[in-house]
Amino acid sequence: MAVKEDTTSEPGRTPRDDPRYLRVRAALRRAVLELAADRPPEEITVAELTAAAGVSRTVFYSHASSPVRLLAEALFAEVLPDRLELAMANSQEAFGPLWREGYLALLGYVEARRGVYATAVAARSGLLGALVDYYTELATTAVDAVVARMAEPVSPSWRTMAVHQHAHGAIAIIEAWLNAAPGTTPDDIVDAYLALAPPWQLARPGPDGRIVLHRPQTGAGGA
């Protein structure tokens, strides 16, 4: 049954606030998640996606530029970023347990869509690039929460590297989970990652709430 495509909205409301727009968006996301469960998103055509969702090509392009981008947005919508970032921004506890909680939550989302993630990873789909972009955005928030607590300022280079370290770490965790040996648990994956994590990710604020990092003297501190 086709989804009604009327995109008019009430005065003062944007199309994205309109229930009809949201219903179409939900139908498109359901369709792309189902189609991507057993093949790379690059192999999904707009024609079959719109047929599965019951909308026109014009309506599809008002929601996404490609099936890959639509799939990425559908997956992002399922990942709640505030579980980690808000906890970090407001807690005085060690960051290690907070990262751990966030990474375990991430693997829960991945497991719920294992077919989609596994297919994309195995095919080295363009979806991976979209995931990196998304996690880079989340990582910026997380890293800035740490930087705000530091007793000494860090250089722009330090911040850039920390953001990319965190974002690519999330992708590494996803890939490790999808390729893990039978019997491996999410805790095993996250504990292994945290054993490799840089000191700033495991920092514990002092009594004054500030973080002091004991960095080696390399002569490049002003980078």
Side-chain angles (χ1 to χ4, degrees), residues 49-130:
L49 183 52
T50 54
V55 302
S56 69
R57 291 178 67 92
T58 299
V59 169
F60 168 80
Y61 284 114
S62 72
H63 287 264
S65 59
S66 69
V68 173
R69 178 52 60 179
L70 178 66
L71 176 60
E73 291 176 356
L75 293 174
F76 301 159
E78 296 179 341
V79 179
L80 303 178
D82 61 351
R83 178 161 187 167
L84 176 60
E85 280 70 30
L86 290 183
M88 288 189 61
N90 296 294
S91 175
Q92 294 292 329
E93 302 300 324
F95 287 118
L98 298 174
W99 290 115
R100 189 172 191 281
E101 178 185 352
Y103 289 138
L104 287 172
L106 171 61
L107 290 185
Y109 296 121
V110 172
E111 185 59 26
R113 297 289 183 190
R114 173 173 276 271
V116 174
Y117 282 97
T119 299
V121 168
R124 309 313 295 174
S125 165
L127 177 64
L128 289 177

Side-chain angles (χ1 to χ4, degrees), residues 4-27:
K4 188 174 181 181
E5 299 177 16
D6 184 355
T7 57
T8 58
S9 58
E10 298 175 9
R13 301 181 66 177
T14 66
R16 291 177 183 271
D17 295 323
D18 192 284
R20 290 161 292 190
Y21 179 95
L22 296 176
R23 284 197 296 271
V24 169
R25 192 165 189 80

Side-chain angles (χ1 to χ4, degrees), residues 139 143 155-168 198 200 220 223:
V143 169
S155 70
S157 297
W158 187 100
R159 178 178 177 275
T160 296
M161 288 186 284
V163 166
H164 286 285
Q165 198 173 48
H166 182 23
H168 286 275
W200 68 266

Side-chain angles (χ1 to χ4, degrees), residues 138-153:
L138 294 187
T140 300
T141 301
V143 169
D144 284 346
V146 176
V147 170
R149 299 277 192 86
M150 288 190 174
E152 297 180 9

